[in-house]
Each structure stands twice: as C-alpha cells, then as structure tokens.
Amino acid sequence: MKYATRLNSFLRVDKDLRHAFEAIGKIDGVDFVDMNYPEHFADYSVPEVKQMLSDNNLRCNAINLRFRDKFLHGEFGNIDRQIAEDAITLCKEATEVCEQLDGSQVIIWLGFDGFDYSFQIDYNEYWDRIIYAFKTIAAYSKKPVSIEYKPYEERVHAFIDSFGTTMTILNEVDSDNLGATLDFCHMLMKKENPALATAYLAKRGKLFNLHLNDGEGSTDDGLMVGTVNLWKTIEVMYYLKKYNFKGAVYFDTFPKREGAVAECEANIKMCRLIETMIDNYGIENIDKVVLKQDGAAAANLMVELIAAANA
Ligand SMILES: [Mn+2]
C-alpha cells in the first residue's frame, strides 16, 4: 500500500513549504503528499513546488480544493451566479496545477454548499447546479476528479452529505473522469459503516482516494489511524487489498499536540501492522469467513487476526 500525508500537519509551526517537504521526505513509508489549492501555492510557484517535491523524493498525490470566505454562502450552488462560476474556474485551475505536478487527481470537498435551515434552499434547483458544475469540471479536466463528502461542518447540513448522495451524483454525471474520495471520519459522522462504501466503490473502480483517520463520530476529530475504530479500519483495509486499490492512502489526521513526524510515523506503524495481519491471514481466508454471514465466525476471525499480526 502507498501512503500520503497531510501537509498542514507539518506547516503548523513552520509555515515554509520547503521545510515541510524536507521533513516528510525523511519519513520512511510516505512517498506522496496532498496539496491544497490555492492555499499551498501562495509562496511558491508551481514549477518551484515541483522541484521541491522531486528534491525530497516525493510525489504529488491529490490536489484538494480549498474555497475561501468569498464562498461562505455556497460554492457551486451560490445564489450569486458569478461566485458559482468562480468556484468552477477555481476547480479548473486546480486540474491544471494537478497536471503540471503530475498529481493523481483533484479532490473537491464543498464545505459551504448546503443549508442551515428548512426552506433555505430549493433542493432541485441546487441539485441541478451541482450536477452542471461537476459535468463541466469532469469534461474539462485531464486528470481524474473526485467528490469528498462530509455530512456537516461548515454548514449544518452539507449538500453532498453521504455515500448515497455522492453515488446518485456520480450516476447522474456519468463520467469516467468523476469518482469518489472516502474519508473515514466523515463516514463515522454520518453513522455509515466505512467498509460498505469502500467495498462498493473499490470494486467498481470509482474509489479514487481514501482518507484514513479516526474519531469518536460526532465531529471530524482527525485522530490517528486505528486508535478508536480499529476493526472498522481493518475491514476497510481488507477491501482495499481485496480489490487491489492502486491509489495512495492519505492520512487525514490532525496532530494538534503531537509532533507531526511522530504522528505520521504512528499512522504508518498502525497501517503496516494491519497490512501484516491481513496478508498473514490471507484475503481468501477472510473471504471465506465473510461469506458465512455469521456473527460468531466474524468475532472468531478478529481473534485470529490478532494472532496473525504476530505470526
Ligand atoms: Mn478528508
């Protein structure tokens, strides 16, 4: 499995991108970084970023859209049509930057598209504008584009709030260039079982990216991988391996009090342990248990997986 890490974890104290790349470049097991657009391109040009990545043996994974305050009332669904068009333009620019950096894809999380009150938006009108935007961007982009959903935060209700809404949009846009990015914490917030969406999308080649982290489920805690919902994390990893996920798994964790390097290394250590567990036990052997639809057999599998970690 390939791993990517979160740049902002390393920019918390020292804001210089160059130093962040140097620190990440030294971490064993992380070869990719995700970058935010336009946020991470304020101090260095795209060619300079490209050079710094290569100097540190790093590759660009995804370019993540970050919409600023101007989009407070919505991105693609903004009542001001010019602002909605500007949101699309920003996405188009991000796809060009992704191309120049040879990144894997562009991820669009619409933090402001949504509503806070009943009767605040016309859902069908809003829906059509979201579809129009994704159709436009997917057709324009030479790189794959994916939707990252989150049920709430910044809005009380995000418009694209769930696996179901995301899938309905993907089906309606119907572009090979458009897929989904799953975020483990976001799925917990929605009370979804992360492995279900992972299995469905990975089997169909629509899982463009996976954000691993952990949390208690109420908010986007960004805790280290596997520290709260270990079995759900192992189940997700099983489906990634079963369906041969080719992307880089991204650590979307937020070290607030921990050192960024130590926190990233803990994520890698946890992921490697999970990989060892699954590889030693064998995907086919897990398949056999899963096909039984037997709760006790599932519990026994968990005991055996613990033993398999040290086999
Ligand atoms: Mn995320």
Side-chain angles (χ1 to χ4, degrees), residues 64 66 107 109 148-149 181-184 186 211-213 220 250 252 254:
N64 296 262
R66 283 294 175 271
I107 301 176
W109 163 58
E148 180 179 1
Y149 67 85
T181 284
L182 294 174
D183 183 302
F184 193 87
H186 298 181
H211 288 183
L212 267 193
N213 44 29
D220 199 6
Y250 170 74
D252 201 356
F254 319 143

Side-chain angles (χ1 to χ4, degrees), residues 25-252:
K26 291 191 187 106
I27 299 174
D28 180 36
V30 170
D31 301 309
F32 295 82
V33 281
D34 278 40
M35 299 195 65
N36 294 349
Y37 184 82
E39 181 187 343
H40 291 148
F41 297 87
D43 299 329
Y44 293 101
S45 68
V46 175
E48 284 171 334
V49 168
K50 191 172 186 174
Q51 187 60 48
M52 288 191 289
L53 284 167
S54 117
D55 289 346
N56 293 288
N57 293 316
L58 292 169
R59 291 185 57 191
C60 175
N61 181 42
I63 300 288
N64 296 262
L65 262 299
R66 283 294 175 271
F67 297 95
R68 291 173 177 156
D69 293 348
K70 168 182 164 183
F71 300 100
L72 185 68
H73 296 274
E75 291 102 351
F76 301 153
N78 199 299
I79 192 161
D80 182 330
R81 297 299 168 113
Q82 188 53 54
I83 293 177
E85 277 303 320
D86 291 349
I88 294 173
T89 303
L90 200 67
C91 293
K92 287 180 173 174
E93 285 171 17
T95 70
E96 287 163 7
V97 169
C98 184
E99 214 184 318
Q100 289 169 54
L101 292 179
D102 200 23
S104 71
Q105 68 191 285
V106 170
I107 301 176
I108 300 175
W109 163 58
L110 300 170
F112 296 120
D113 265 334
F115 59 100
D116 308 310
Y117 297 96
S118 296
F119 302 105
Q120 191 171 4
I121 62 168
D122 179 315
Y123 306 107
N124 283 321
E125 190 258 356
Y126 216 104
W127 183 276
D128 291 344
R129 293 172 65 187
I130 297 263
I131 297 291
Y132 162 77
F134 279 115
K135 275 190 174 167
T136 306
I137 296 158
Y140 178 86
S141 180
K142 293 190 177 71
K143 285 286 177 179
V145 177
S146 69
I147 301 172
E148 180 179 1
Y149 67 85
K150 183 176 180 179
Y152 46 88
E153 291 177 346
E154 311 295 336
R155 300 306 290 257
V156 175
H157 297 275
F159 197 86
I160 308 181
D161 65 335
S162 61
F163 173 49
T165 307
T166 304
M167 269 321 300
T168 312
I169 290 171
L170 292 187
N171 287 338
E172 196 167 326
V173 173
D174 192 23
S175 164
D176 290 340
N177 214 19
L178 189 67
T181 284
L182 294 174
D183 183 302
F184 193 87
C185 257
H186 298 181
M187 293 188 277
L188 295 175
M189 289 163 74
K190 192 66 185 172
K191 305 290 179 276
E192 291 175 352
N193 178 33
L196 189 152
T198 306
Y200 185 93
L201 292 164
K203 186 182 177 186
R204 289 157 179 82
K206 281 292 186 185
L207 182 62
F208 285 9
N209 211 312
L210 180 80
H211 288 183
L212 267 193
N213 44 29
D214 214 336
E216 299 287 347
S218 299
T219 55
D220 199 6
D221 297 336
L223 300 182
M224 284 176 269
V225 177
T227 52
V228 184
N229 298 280
L230 180 58
W231 290 116
K232 289 186 190 299
T233 310
I234 296 170
E235 195 183 17
V236 163
M237 289 280 257
Y238 153 67
Y239 283 106
L240 292 184
K241 283 178 168 283
K242 179 179 168 71
Y243 293 117
N244 204 12
F245 177 70
K246 292 271 196 292
V249 170
Y250 170 74
F251 300 136
D252 201 356

Side-chain angles (χ1 to χ4, degrees), residues 3-12 23-24 27-30 185 212-215 220-227 250-272:
Y3 296 102
T5 198
R6 179 173 169 269
L7 212 38
N8 279 353
S9 303
F10 292 80
L11 294 171
R12 213 171 19 135
I24 297 167
I27 299 174
D28 180 36
V30 170
C185 257
L212 267 193
N213 44 29
D214 214 336
D220 199 6
D221 297 336
L223 300 182
M224 284 176 269
V225 177
T227 52
Y250 170 74
F251 300 136
D252 201 356
T253 56
F254 319 143
K256 288 179 181 150
R257 289 161 202 87
E258 301 74 24
V261 172
E263 195 254 14
C264 181
E265 286 175 340
N267 283 330
I268 293 167
K269 203 182 278 184
M270 184 70 79
C271 286
R272 283 184 169 159

